[in-house]
């Protein structure tokens, strides 16, 4: 790995861009056990609108992480599942989740301390 690994046009930034969108990692994680229909994903995830879920699934499909399968019939039944490439992101997502579980209280305490010291504190990101 070179020292310029995080500069413009690098693969590391591509990976961070994929994981920086909140819903990308959540949708990938929700698909880890097999194919799901959009309504099943919304129920499993909670808090995601149909529009945002559709946009996220399209973005993940565009990046080769999710495959869309349309089953003929009336009504048309659509399912999404992880591709082999998408499955490779489950371990990093799990690692970030474990880090958050272990250190989340420390981050929130730091945010509270910063807000106590600064009268114009931005809203929390959690």
């Amino acid at each position: 790995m070179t020292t310029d690994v995080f500069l413009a046009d690098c693969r590391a930034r591509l990976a961070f861009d994929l994981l920086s969108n909140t819903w990308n990692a959540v949708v990938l994680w929700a698909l880890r056990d097999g194919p799901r229909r959009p309504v099943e994903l919304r129920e499993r995830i909670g808090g995601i609108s149909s529009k945002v879920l559709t946009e996220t699934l399209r973005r993940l499909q565009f990046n080769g992480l999710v495959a869309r399968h349309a089953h003929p019939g009336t009504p048309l039944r659509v399912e999404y599942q992880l591709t082999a490439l998408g499955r490779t992101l489950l371990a990093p997502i799990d690692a970030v989740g474990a880090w958050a579980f272990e250190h989340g209280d420390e981050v929130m305490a730091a945010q509270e301390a910063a807000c106590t010291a600064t009268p114009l504190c931005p809203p929390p990101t959690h």
Side-chain angles (χ1 to χ4, degrees):
M1 187 177 335
T2 69
T3 57
D4 294 334
V5 71
F6 296 110
L7 298 181
D9 299 328
C10 72
R11 290 185 173 124
R13 279 183 54 181
L14 170 69
F16 284 116
D17 285 345
L18 286 172
L19 291 177
S20 68
N21 178 290
T22 301
W23 294 114
N24 285 355
V26 172
V27 171
L28 290 170
W29 192 255
L31 287 169
R32 73 188 181 282
D33 295 326
R36 300 269 181 220
R37 297 178 67 194
V39 69
E40 294 171 319
L41 284 170
R42 282 192 61 219
E43 289 170 1
R44 190 166 201 195
I45 293 169
I48 188 170
S49 70
S50 294
K51 179 182 183 252
V52 171
L53 177 59
T54 298
E55 290 169 354
T56 302
L57 288 166
R58 286 181 182 157
R59 183 173 44 254
L60 294 172
Q61 186 179 3
F62 174 80
N63 285 291
L65 304 173
V66 167
R68 179 184 186 270
H69 299 284
H71 301 280
T74 306
L76 181 68
R77 197 181 90 175
V78 176
E79 289 183 329
Y80 292 88
Q81 70 180 44
L82 293 176
T83 62
L85 181 61
R87 289 206 159 279
T88 65
L89 275 176
L90 293 179
I93 291 168
D94 188 42
V96 171
W99 181 90
F101 184 78
E102 185 174 340
H103 300 287
D105 290 339
E106 296 170 66
V107 172
M108 289 190 296
Q111 290 174 351
E112 276 187 42
C115 285
T116 302
T118 308
L120 299 175
C121 185
T125 59
H126 53 84

